[in-house]
Each structure stands twice: as structure tokens, then as C-alpha cells.
Amino acid sequence: MTSTSNASTASERLIDATRELLWERGYVGTSPKAIQQRAGAGQGSMYHHFTGKPDLALAAIRRTAEETRAAAERVLGGERVLGGEGTAYERIAAYLRRERDVLRGCPVGRLTMDPDVVADEGLRAPVDETLDWLRGRLAGIVREGVASGEFDGALDPEGTAAAIVATVQGGYVLARASGSAAAFGTAVEGLLGLLRPLGTPGPLGGRRAA
């Protein structure tokens, strides 16, 4: 293995360890020593790749944000919907119903509850950007559904997108509070019932009026 490969591996281990510790202990509880121990890396290795804890934490938060966006885009882009692009409703439903570790919570949403991350403009930036991207992506899909006649023309794309994001984040909270993933599913299915396309069968067999 080359020295470049070793360096890359050490850097990745440090980022992964920081992500885990931020989740478990928060920013204040994530010490450089704990990161080094978790990553199996020495102090010299850590400071070779990163200027310090804030720099490493930012790299870890950016990685979490990137992975969150990629996971959402796989379903919002239709890659897993009926083998094709899917309708607006199908893509939103796929996003809401995608496999999640519900009781563990949202990795990005969890960061919004860390006061030290929120108070630091640099650390908070990837979190804000991810949530802004998600709301914008969802609003665009709702707008497509309105334009095609799938959704009611009076539906507000931005407001609906915000409601979708709020349902997901609130669903995590309800699930963790109750100790049951069913609470998340109930919130998701309730929202999908409200978004049901015009003219489709309702839960009791009736059709939503066009």
C-alpha cells in the first residue's frame, strides 16, 4: 500500500470517527483525543490532515450532508420508483417511505439540536444548505405535479415542501419519544393521504374530488 493510500485511509477514519462521536456525544463531548482513539490514529496524523477539531468537525458534517442529499436524490430523482422517473406523488412517497433507521433519527436533523453546531456559522452552513436544497427539490417536484394536473392547482409548492420536511423531522422525534418506528409511519401516511393526487381512490374507496 502506498503512502498516499495510507494517508487517505487515515483521513477517512478520522472523518468517520468524528461523525460517530458528534452523533453520540455532540460537539463539546467530541474531544480530539476521543477522535484519535476511535479512528486508531495518532495526534500527528490528525493534525497532518486537519488544522484542528473545528476543521475535522466541518469535514465530518459536510460528509453527512453529502450522504443525506445523495440518499434523498436517489428516490426524488426516480431511480427507485417503478424502474423509471415516476410521478410527482410517487417520488414524494418514495422519499417519505424510504428505508431509515427511524429510532436513531436523522443525521442532519440531529445536528440542528446541537447548540454548538448551530452557534457556529461555519459548522451550521452544510446543515442549512442541505435543508434548503431538500425543500427546494421537493418544491420543484410539487410544482411539476401541479403543472401536470396531478395535484390541486391551489397547492403551494414551497409550503408543501416545508410541510414534508417538517413531517419527516417531527416523525423522528415522535418515534424516538415513543420508542416505536410506527409513530414515524403514521405521520408519513397521514401526510401522503393529504397529498393524494386528484381523482385517486381514498382509504375508504371514495375518490378525491378534482
Side-chain angles (χ1 to χ4, degrees), residues 14-15 18-19 22 27 30 35 50-66 111 117 120-127 129:
L14 286 161
I15 290 173
T18 304
R19 292 175 68 190
L22 285 172
Y27 184 78
T30 299
I35 294 170
F50 304 96
T51 58
K53 173 181 166 180
D55 185 38
L56 181 48
L58 179 58
I61 292 170
R62 281 178 175 161
R63 179 69 56 80
T64 295
E66 289 166 4
L111 290 167
V117 171
D120 187 300
E121 185 175 344
L123 295 178
R124 191 181 70 245
V127 177
E129 289 165 6

Side-chain angles (χ1 to χ4, degrees), residues 43-173:
Q43 182 175 336
S45 178
M46 177 175 170
Y47 288 100
H48 172 73
H49 296 292
F50 304 96
T51 58
K53 173 181 166 180
D55 185 38
L56 181 48
L58 179 58
I61 292 170
R62 281 178 175 161
R63 179 69 56 80
T64 295
E66 289 166 4
E67 291 187 1
T68 298
R69 287 176 62 158
E73 184 57 29
R74 281 195 292 272
V75 288
L76 292 175
E79 294 178 25
R80 295 182 180 175
V81 182
L82 303 178
E85 183 174 314
T87 65
Y89 180 83
E90 287 167 345
R91 290 152 69 194
I92 291 170
Y95 167 70
L96 288 170
R97 290 170 173 162
R98 75 176 179 85
E99 186 176 349
R100 294 175 168 88
D101 188 349
V102 173
L103 294 180
R104 192 162 187 258
C106 172
V108 169
R110 184 72 168 265
L111 290 167
T112 67
M113 294 184 283
D114 188 321
D116 297 284
V117 171
V118 173
D120 187 300
E121 185 175 344
L123 295 178
R124 191 181 70 245
V127 177
D128 291 341
E129 289 165 6
T130 299
L131 294 174
D132 287 345
W133 172 85
L134 182 56
R135 284 190 293 266
R137 190 73 175 86
L138 288 165
I141 294 172
V142 173
R143 200 171 289 111
E144 291 174 22
V146 170
S148 68
E150 183 182 352
F151 293 142
D152 191 321
L155 201 62
D156 172 42
E158 285 72 24
T160 302
I164 294 170
V165 174
T167 297
V168 170
Q169 296 303 321
Y172 280 121
V173 172

